[in-house]
Amino acid sequence: MARATTESRTRLSFRHRIEDRASAAVVGAAKLLPYERRVPAMGWFARTILGPLALNRRTRANLKHVYPDMPPAEIRRICRDVADNFGRSLIEINSGREFAERVTHLTPTGPGLMALERAHAEGRPVILVSAHFGNYDAWRANLSQRGFRVGGLYMPMTNPATNRRYVATIESIASPLFPRGAEGMADMIRFLKSGGMLGLLGDHYMANGELIDFLGKPARTATSAAKMAMKYKALLVPLYATRSPDGLSFTIEIEAPIPHTDPLTMTRALNDSASARVRAHPGQWFWLHRRWKRAEPDLRGDQRGDKSPSNSPTETA
């Protein structure tokens, strides 16, 4: 009901229809291929066509902000990898149940797995925090198939037609889902208090967030995950799905729960965790976001002209 209310407030314009049909055509054409071919094909499309047209500029700007002395050849390599992972993630998410079935056999590793199992047995709430890294829906699908109650918070798209298709697809991967904003908040809190595991992505720019270092640069970061963990006595657990060299499978790693101290210290730990993953695999993080917007003067001019893809599969956890 919350989703329908959100969509009813946004008028479906002619531009929305054209954008939706174009994206649906690309995804539909890719889905004619067998799964093992469609994923690398979409990686190629994003790497060679979409990247130069729409993705690489934002990646280059963010890389230069974080690594001002990075050699041009390395910047080009990371741009290619980021676009490739974007394309693969896009078609994986749009493959719905087929994608979910591909990741069910994966065995998560890391010290946090036992903590999740214990919390599940005890009915204790858990807040799972990841980043726009690898494919975050891989761990969401995997944990759901393992019997954990994993809910996800998502950002509704501005295009109502595309949003309807998008939500239906990610619901087929795992559910429940809660739209970001007041409409989904009440249901999300009830789910968490009932002992559910709530998945979030913690690397968004938040206008009213605290300035906390991310990759060594101050970035406006929400402390809400830590605040909820403390308020509802929930575990706060970082986790990631790293794409394997074959480009099709993933390694799911669940880190140890972050101790409850105070929201700022806990959020710093989350940012440090995500930063370590990005440093280890820079091509797997979505450098496409305006992560350092209004935090550093040298980015402001470029950020105002951001043209990030409107159909980016980057808002769900």
Side-chain angles (χ1 to χ4, degrees), residues 56 67 83 126 133-135 137 143 151 180 188 213 225 255 259-260 279:
N56 293 350
Y67 302 114
V126 177
F133 178 87
N135 188 329
D137 267 327
L143 293 180
R180 185 180 292 274
M188 183 187 76
D213 275 8
E255 297 183 357
H260 285 203
R279 290 188 178 106

Side-chain angles (χ1 to χ4, degrees), residues 149-219:
R149 295 173 56 222
V150 181
L153 181 67
Y154 76 95
M155 178 77 76
M157 292 185 171
T158 56
N159 186 324
T162 303
N163 189 66
R164 283 192 291 270
R165 291 191 297 105
Y166 172 66
V167 174
T169 299
I170 58 178
E171 279 183 335
S172 72
I173 294 174
S175 62
L177 294 174
F178 308 102
R180 185 180 292 274
E183 292 175 1
M185 182 61 68
D187 289 340
M188 183 187 76
I189 295 301
R190 278 194 293 269
F191 173 78
L192 185 63
K193 290 171 67 176
S194 73
M197 297 184 181
L198 177 65
L200 307 172
L201 299 181
D203 56 347
H204 290 279
Y205 161 79
M206 297 299 291
N208 298 319
E210 299 285 347
L211 276 177
I212 303 174
D213 275 8
F214 183 74
L215 292 173
K217 298 288 185 178

